[in-house]
Amino acid sequence: MAYNEFAYFYDEFNTAADYDALYRYVTGELAAHGVPGGLLADLGCGTGDLTLMLAQAGYDVIGVDQSEEMLSVLREKADELGLAGRILLLQQDLLELDLYGTIRAAVSTFDTFSHIGPLDRFEQAIAKAAFFMEEGGVFVFDLNTPYKHARVLAGQTFDLDAGDACCRWSNTYDPQAGRVRIDICITDRETGDHWQEMFYEYSYDLDTVQTLLDRYGYTVARVADGEDFGPLRPDSQRWIFTAVKRYTQQGPKGETE
């Protein structure tokens, strides 16, 4: 899934996001597992607030996103902060990820991996991220939970207001497919222009995610609530995983040991 016009309004509609808390958690997990710096990929970096914070903290960051519009916004922010030379931006589908070498860490936040499904595609994305990870490398990523899809989003419509624009966000839950269809309609109040986009989010049970991580060489070190970063609860709406790679993969590109 790639945001198009929505990319230019994303930050305005995402003001509730606590990037400082997310940054503290992510960098704390990376440092706790021996990666206080080094080459890091932000997979599905979007407009890049976390990407920029990691670069400012001294990480060498590769920002990867399928949306050229999202990368364009991030590029402008990096220029304004004097960080353009510190971040490599790649427009790539995570299913076709190519980082041209190994990395020490990867992060993926705000439900990027929830948008990749169904399960075979999700597994492919996990495998791709694993292929470029060095032994001892750390992958921190989040997913929306089945609880959120079934009990919070299902059948709900949300109206978001960003001053210059408004957005109607409608959710249709399909329990058999394990996914939510999301329809968004954005109106620019100044011009009267409208844009519509549609995409899906998928959810998986916790055991399935942990099994796939193990299959591709990760040991799950921690799973926390992805919103308050405390212990998991039955009503957690987001999980955040910390997974440590057991080995560096060898052999032809695309193959695992």
Side-chain angles (χ1 to χ4, degrees):
M1 184 277 297
Y3 289 122
N4 296 313
E5 292 297 331
F6 187 62
Y8 299 112
F9 300 95
Y10 180 86
D11 289 339
E12 295 180 69
F13 289 124
N14 200 36
T15 55
D18 190 343
Y19 281 100
D20 289 336
L22 177 62
Y23 166 80
R24 288 193 298 270
Y25 183 82
V26 167
T27 54
E29 287 296 288
L30 294 176
H33 295 282
V35 189
L39 185 58
L40 175 150
D42 189 348
L43 305 178
C45 59
T47 59
D49 281 21
L50 181 61
T51 315
L52 295 169
M53 295 170 83
L54 291 166
Q56 289 173 316
Y59 286 92
D60 298 312
V61 183
I62 303 171
V64 184
D65 206 281
Q66 190 176 358
S67 168
E68 176 54 36
E69 291 83 358
M70 285 285 199
L71 292 176
S72 177
V73 174
L74 172 51
R75 196 173 291 113
E76 290 182 8
K77 291 181 182 178
D79 285 341
E80 291 174 1
L81 292 172
L83 293 171
R86 297 273 306 278
I87 302 171
L88 173 63
L89 299 182
L90 301 177
Q91 184 185 2
Q92 292 185 5
D93 185 332
L94 296 186
L95 297 179
E96 304 297 333
L97 184 68
D98 191 347
L99 298 178
Y100 311 110
T102 58
I103 55 175
R104 289 291 294 140
V107 300
S108 186
T109 56
F110 292 103
D111 319 318
T112 293
F113 270 66
S114 294
H115 291 294
I116 290 173
L119 184 60
D120 59 336
R121 290 167 57 87
F122 176 73
E123 179 174 356
Q124 184 178 343
I126 293 289
K128 279 289 186 180
F131 181 79
F132 296 98
M133 189 71 69
E134 296 176 8
E135 179 181 357
V138 182
F139 185 21
V140 181
F141 72 101
D142 64 21
L143 290 171
N144 276 333
T145 65
Y147 174 89
K148 181 176 182 178
H149 282 180
R151 302 290 295 276
V152 178
L153 296 183
Q156 298 298 309
T157 296
F158 304 100
D159 290 310
L160 310 177
D161 194 325
D164 293 336
C166 60
C167 174
R168 172 153 287 196
W169 184 293
S170 301
N171 304 276
T172 306
Y173 179 52
D174 181 345
Q176 291 186 325
R179 72 183 186 190
V180 170
R181 170 175 166 149
I182 299 172
D183 292 273
I184 60 176
C185 180
I186 303 166
T187 301
D188 186 320
R189 289 197 173 99
E190 183 175 338
T191 65
D193 291 334
H194 299 273
W195 297 275
Q196 292 185 321
E197 297 183 29
M198 185 278 290
F199 47 91
Y200 292 100
E201 277 191 1
Y202 294 79
S203 60
Y204 315 98
D205 65 74
L206 194 57
D207 287 344
T208 295
V209 179
Q210 293 176 316
T211 296
L212 288 178
L213 288 167
D214 179 70
R215 181 176 300 167
Y216 292 98
Y218 286 108
T219 297
V220 178
R222 185 179 183 187
V223 187
D225 184 282
E227 296 185 338
D228 64 19
F229 308 112
L232 294 186
R233 304 184 308 274
D235 63 349
S236 289
Q237 296 186 33
R238 180 180 286 138
W239 297 318
I240 188 163
F241 297 81
T242 301
V244 180
K245 194 67 162 40
R246 295 192 294 270
Y247 51 82
T248 301
Q249 293 178 223
Q250 305 293 329
K253 182 185 290 188
E255 295 181 6
T256 60
E257 282 188 335

